[in-house]
Amino acid sequence: MDQILDFFRRLTDTSDWPARWFCGRWSDFHGWLYIVSDLTIWLAYMAIPLILIRFIILKKGIPLPSVFLLFGTFIMLCGATHLLDALMFWWPAYRLAALVKLLTGVVSVATVIALVRYFNEAIGLRTSREFERELLFRQQAVQELSRSNQELQQFAYVASHDLQSPLKTIVNYLTLFESKYGEQLDTDARRMIDTSTAAADRMRTLINDLLDFSRVGSVVEYKPVDLNELVAEILNEHQEDIRLSDATIELGPLPTLMAHRTDLKQVFQNLITNGLKYRRTDVAVRLSIQAVDEGSAHRFVIADNGIGIEPQHYDRIFQIFQRLHGRSTYPGTGIGLATCKKVIDIYGGKIWLDSMPGAGTTFYLTIPKKIKTVQHYAQTDSLHSVSR
Ligand code: ADP
């Protein structure tokens, strides 16, 4: 114990030993070879941790930074032992040298333990070549997905577009038939014609909704869209519904987004018309449309005081053709919210709701200020060329 206390008290005391030059017989060449070699090793050992620290600072998010730091400390301490070895030719600080060696020993054992511990994790890390291969693969997958998506969209568009023409013929002929032979038809025959015309009308609405759904996200060239103006246009187009439902609409200031106008119109139109449609018969409709700036995104809140939705249906209503009511109670196709979700998904946002059955529903949606769609990524050729 006394020896230990004495050791630390006289840590830098050099009076017990001669300087290394005077310890044994050194030729100038031998001594300087020793000194210069030690100093060279020390310099190199100092440079390595500095490079590592700079690397960690510049390359944010590198894996296992603590192992890097430990390794850097180990190298730096190794360097310090060589510096002291060189200095001892003039300054025989043997106690200090022993302490630095002890520290180096402890840190080197810790480095070995860390390396063994993180070995498997380090083996699992991908090399830049592996990353490159994966990136290439992902890019190809995105392009493939985007191509098949375009094909599907094209298919849905062509199918719904081509269905319109025979439907128009059916409606026209039914109308013609009724006007030509109406006088001779009995009530039963008229009822059949009315039912067929109503079914054809329903089909037209369905086809139009499907067309809107398939068109969503097809345009990736965005322009500024003033939502104040867009929502005013929607409200204007639904003046009659607003008047009939005696609706009060609270409209907060809305932002301008860089997006595709038709996509955004689909979203706001579906949410607003649902707010007007799914109303309670005993109260006047109150609809609120607000926007909150969340930094990197806008959050929109569209609230109504309508019939509400049971929590178990929150996910289901965003699926295409899913409806909670019969057509006779509330008309509709079950495509509106699926269209909203499709737009918001493509724009990289989120849509969800909160509702109180019998009291009202609030839809929330976020839209990033900088919209980047999958097509944008697929079109990126700045990283690698897929044909490589
Ligand atoms: P549609 O209105 O054509 O049926 P949507 O996809 O717009 O289709 O809506 C799906 C279902 O979600 C609707 O059938 C309705 O039951 C429910 N829903 C949508 N919006 C509201 C709302 N604001 N209040 C109550 N129920 C709603």
Side-chain angles (χ1 to χ4, degrees), residues 1-229:
M1 192 64 190
D2 281 352
Q3 283 192 17
I4 297 174
L5 285 176
D6 183 61
F7 175 89
F8 281 105
R9 210 175 309 122
R10 299 170 61 204
L11 193 61
T12 51
D13 181 358
T14 59
S15 60
D16 293 332
W17 302 276
R20 194 174 266 168
W21 273 126
F22 309 110
C23 180
R25 276 202 303 273
W26 296 89
S27 68
D28 278 352
F29 173 76
H30 185 180
W32 280 108
L33 181 67
Y34 203 107
I35 294 164
V36 170
S37 308
D38 265 335
L39 289 179
T40 312
I41 297 172
W42 169 67
L43 277 177
Y45 276 12
M46 285 305 285
I48 293 170
L50 290 179
I51 294 169
L52 280 180
I53 289 170
R54 194 169 148 71
F55 178 70
I56 291 174
I57 292 173
L58 290 181
K59 192 104 183 151
K60 289 190 182 66
I62 57 150
L64 312 176
S66 52
V67 178
F68 271 83
L69 285 174
L70 205 56
F71 187 67
T73 315
F74 161 61
I75 296 281
M76 209 169 67
L77 282 168
C78 285
T81 62
H82 283 278
L83 175 67
L84 279 169
D85 260 358
L87 287 179
M88 270 196 284
F89 274 80
W90 298 273
W91 185 52
Y94 280 97
R95 290 192 186 83
L96 189 65
L99 188 66
V100 171
K101 276 193 205 294
L102 173 73
L103 271 178
T104 313
V106 171
V107 174
S108 54
V109 169
T111 310
V112 171
I113 293 172
L115 284 177
V116 170
R117 211 154 128 203
Y118 292 115
F119 185 76
N120 284 340
E121 207 173 319
I123 285 279
L125 294 175
R126 276 163 290 183
T127 62
S128 61
R129 192 179 279 258
E130 284 169 329
F131 260 121
E132 232 171 83
R133 223 179 301 138
E134 186 177 325
L135 192 66
L136 198 64
F137 171 74
R138 281 178 191 234
Q139 244 183 322
Q140 279 170 332
V142 167
Q143 285 199 338
E144 181 56 29
L145 263 177
S146 127
R147 191 192 55 76
S148 74
N149 194 32
Q150 264 171 12
E151 264 176 25
L152 262 176
Q153 229 154 316
Q154 189 74 5
F155 170 76
Y157 179 78
V158 170
S160 17
H161 190 262
D162 289 359
L163 281 174
Q164 269 179 335
S165 160
L167 190 64
K168 263 189 203 140
T169 314
I170 294 171
V171 174
N172 287 346
Y173 272 88
L174 278 173
T175 319
L176 202 66
F177 184 74
E178 198 182 12
S179 63
K180 209 164 171 189
Y181 303 106
E183 310 270 285
Q184 301 154 40
L185 296 175
D186 61 9
T187 358
D188 224 23
R190 276 169 192 282
R191 197 177 44 77
M192 283 179 200
I193 290 182
D194 286 348
T195 312
S196 310
T197 315
D201 271 346
R202 248 197 345 268
M203 192 160 166
R204 191 168 42 207
T205 316
L206 194 65
I207 288 172
N208 284 337
D209 283 1
L210 264 177
L211 265 176
D212 288 341
F213 182 81
S214 69
R215 278 193 198 117
V216 159
S218 54
V219 177
V220 286
E221 290 213 348
Y222 297 148
K223 293 196 175 110
V225 182
D226 179 354
L227 286 176
N228 297 294
E229 183 258 320

Side-chain angles (χ1 to χ4, degrees), residues 274 277-278 304 309 317 322-325 332-334 336-337 361:
N274 278 355
K277 182 164 59 167
Y278 297 103
D304 64 50
I309 301 168
I317 55 169
Q322 291 295 329
R323 308 201 65 232
L324 305 181
H325 309 278
T333 55
L337 287 181
T361 305

Side-chain angles (χ1 to χ4, degrees), residues 43 132 158 263 292 310 312 329 338:
L43 277 177
E132 232 171 83
V158 170
D263 287 348
V292 186
E310 299 276 353
Q312 67 267 29
T329 336

